[in-house]
Amino acid sequence: MTGVAVVGAAETTELGKIPHLSQMQLHADAALNAMADAGLTAKDIDGIATAGERPTDLAYYLGITPTWVDGTSVGGCSFMLHVRHAVAAIASGQCTTVLITHGESGRSGVGRSGFPRAPASLAGQFEVPFGPMGPPTMFTLPVLRYMKDYGMTHEQLAMVAVVQREWASMNPRASFQEEITVDDVLNSKMIAYPFHLLECCLVTDGGGALILTKADRAADFPQPPVHILGTGESVETPMISQMDDLTSSRAFKVAGSFAMRDAGISHAEVDHLMVYDAFAHLPIYGLEDLGFCKKGEAADFIWEQNTAPGGCLPMNTNGGGLSYMHSGMYGMYALQESVRQIRGTAPAQVKDANVSLCLGVGGMFGASGCIVFGKEPK
Amino acid sequence: MDKPTRSLPQPTPETQHFWEGTQAEQLLLQRCTQCTHTYFPPRPFCPSCSSRSVEVYAASGRATLASYVINQRPHPAFDGPYAIALVDLEEGPRMMTNIVECAQTPEALQLDMPLEVRFEQVSEDIKLPLFAPAKIAPAKIAPAGESK
Ligand SMILES: [Zn+2]
């Protein structure tokens, strides 16, 4: 255990299409909701972490005078890294109460800063000239290799989206709730072979925020604490072409194994799993790199409904980036779902969810952060 | 000749030799003289052992197809769907590229198929290394270290 707990957690009031709010206000809306959840105001916050916007801008906008600041920005899992850094900062006395925010006008593009790749960067020189057009044509690049090496079929890849839609059908805030079949997925528009539309994440607007403090203060807050049992982080490469192994994420392995060791838990103790799913192959890589499945077996594991409602390892229970929402930096929503499951307040609540593991990805297999949450401090 | 609508690489002092190499139709790699590790993309030190003692040499230009996607969305530099490919060079490093002289279909693009480098002029200063299906079976090709 880390001695630190989540005492406030919330998403933006709305999710989906929010053209009437700027990206900065999405951060603020989520932050205000999280402060209300914790019974705090900006005056109680002395640590701030964010990505997508600068922590300076956000602290000023919200009226926070921090003694600790973290602007780590490694893509969609930045918030996992913020949680990890906040745990260390709180434990060492650099601050007492940390606010972590995310907001992204991913769909409406209101007040959004872009992510240009400079022509002189390594990716700008050795990837961009060959015509990749964003994540659907880059994050997906390793998958044919995985399919050939491990015999995964197109149907199995499609099943990832089908199972996650099952979860989304139980979630009134999910963008897509209507159940789908493998055929529906395979008949959806081809985006970048072998990926169909329904195997790619949504593009939506939204935000979320977390508030962390020392677990021994948790009794002072209205919500039951969600203990942070262990954390891990790593980075690999800014270029998908340069992954060590096209069938595995080194950052997943490093971050995941560190977090589990840090938490002192075994795989059998994990009741609930979140694996950042920007595309349908990510849960397959995540299950294997975390060690829940042997290499080459995760697609069968999902096909056999082990991660579906009623299965032995409920995964991506909000519907995931494929069906719930995906603003661009989805990691915050995965963390929010882990917190809801441990609190017992999730729309598709898993019975006896005492330990939840949340694995994030950043860039395109560029970075990873992993957080293990628990109902008890352990 | 490609349409002038690709994003063009902007060489840095550390990558200049690579782009001068492609202009001369050579695919240049770097190798550590301490630990013999061959690596890509270019940098003036070895990412395996941190030695600054490295040398540049010409790769064979032979590779195999490691993975790809076929992008269906229109791109101004390509006519219709096109493959963005990862190829494993004979010398070890992997690089992103496009596959030319080949239909852009799953049937034509078979993983592990042998490929050989082509150089395509995309601006006055830049030739991009692209790859085509190998014309000769890999075993019968001349020894490594030569370029065309
Ligand atoms: Zn070396």
Side-chain angles (χ1 to χ4, degrees), chain A:
Chain A
M1 76 170 230
T2 64
V4 174
V6 175
V7 295
E11 294 175 352
T12 42
T13 309
E14 298 168 76
L15 285 180
K17 200 172 176 186
I18 320 174
H20 51 281
L21 296 183
S22 70
Q23 183 157 297
M24 182 63 87
Q25 185 56 33
L26 291 170
H27 279 258
D29 182 52
L32 293 169
N33 287 343
M35 286 190 266
D37 186 57
L40 299 177
T41 74
K43 297 288 171 279
D44 303 309
I45 307 288
D46 61 1
I48 184 144
T50 194
E53 297 287 339
R54 293 181 304 180
T56 315
D57 298 40
L58 205 75
Y60 163 74
Y61 194 63
L62 289 168
I64 290 166
T65 305
T67 63
W68 177 86
V69 176
D70 183 10
T72 302
S73 186
V74 292
C77 65
S78 298
F79 317 103
M80 282 79 174
L81 276 71
H82 296 155
V83 168
R84 187 167 202 248
H85 303 170
V87 164
I90 292 167
S92 70
Q94 293 181 354
C95 56
T96 65
T97 312
V98 170
L99 171 69
I100 302 168
T101 71
H102 159 69
E104 194 163 10
S105 189
R107 181 183 176 115
S108 304
V110 185
R112 188 187 195 204
S113 39
F115 297 92
R117 304 212 295 168
S121 68
L122 286 178
Q125 292 185 63
F126 298 106
E127 290 194 338
V128 179
F130 304 105
M133 292 171 68
T137 56
M138 299 185 79
F139 217 154
T140 53
L141 259 170
V143 172
L144 282 183
R145 182 80 261 162
Y146 182 98
M147 293 173 81
K148 178 162 182 186
D149 287 0
Y150 295 101
M152 181 172 75
T153 65
H154 294 279
E155 287 75 15
Q156 284 178 313
L157 186 61
M159 182 56 90
V160 176
V162 172
V163 169
Q164 295 204 187
R165 187 63 65 83
E166 273 188 67
W167 285 111
S169 74
M170 300 155 76
N171 188 344
R173 262 165 77 86
S175 295
F176 292 130
Q177 298 173 27
E178 194 180 326
E179 294 207 39
I180 51 175
T181 65
V182 165
D183 281 344
D184 291 336
V185 177
L186 296 179
N187 290 327
S188 68
K189 189 178 167 190
M190 187 68 82
I191 301 296
Y193 174 85
F195 279 79
H196 305 82
L197 181 67
L198 292 177
E199 292 159 329
C200 303
C201 65
L202 302 160
V203 183
T204 51
D205 305 325
L210 293 170
I211 296 172
L212 277 60
T213 193
K214 275 205 163 139
D216 57 18
R217 290 180 62 205
D220 302 341
F221 296 91
Q223 299 285 354
V226 174
H227 296 275
I228 297 165
L229 304 183
T231 64
E233 68 186 289
S234 193
V235 293
E236 182 174 350
T237 167
M239 305 169 74
I240 191 90
S241 63
Q242 301 306 316
M243 292 174 76
D244 270 359
D245 175 352
L246 292 175
T247 69
S248 169
S249 163
R250 190 186 78 193
F252 278 5
K253 285 184 168 171
V254 175
S257 62
F258 200 109
M260 290 192 67
R261 222 168 35 245
D262 195 25
I265 55 157
S266 66
H267 291 93
E269 288 174 84
V270 175
D271 303 309
H272 171 253
L273 181 63
M274 295 299 291
V275 175
Y276 190 130
D277 59 321
F279 294 91
H281 60 305
L282 286 174
I284 291 166
Y285 281 56
L287 283 167
E288 294 179 3
D289 290 336
L290 287 168
F292 287 98
C293 294
K294 291 205 190 84
K295 194 75 198 149
E297 294 183 358
D300 279 338
F301 188 75
I302 292 171
W303 183 266
E304 288 158 5
Q305 307 297 302
N306 288 297
T307 62
C312 64
L313 185 58
M315 178 176 69
N316 294 344
T317 49
N318 58 354
L322 296 177
S323 286
Y324 179 59
M325 85 85 66
H326 195 294
S327 56
M329 299 169 86
Y330 166 81
M332 176 57 82
Y333 308 96
L335 291 166
Q336 295 285 335
E337 176 67 7
S338 281
V339 168
R340 284 191 295 263
Q341 288 288 350
I342 296 294
R343 283 181 174 181
T345 59
Q349 181 63 43
V350 170
K351 207 161 149 272
D352 300 324
N354 292 314
V355 174
S356 173
L357 188 147
C358 188
L359 179 72
V361 71
M364 285 161 271
F365 287 125
S368 182
C370 184
I371 308 295
V372 182
F373 296 100
K375 192 168 270 177
E376 302 301 328
K378 194 176 170 79

Side-chain angles (χ1 to χ4, degrees), chain B residues 2-40:
Chain B
D2 229 40
K3 301 175 196 171
T5 39
R6 282 184 193 251
S7 296
L8 295 178
Q10 185 180 314
T12 63
E14 296 77 28
T15 64
Q16 187 71 39
H17 69 274
F18 179 87
W19 294 112
E20 286 170 4
T22 60
Q23 276 294 71
E25 309 221 332
Q26 286 200 319
L27 188 64
L28 299 182
L29 293 175
Q30 284 169 308
R31 177 165 54 203
C32 176
T33 60
Q34 301 291 309
C35 76
T36 75
H37 178 57
T38 288
Y39 60 89
F40 175 87

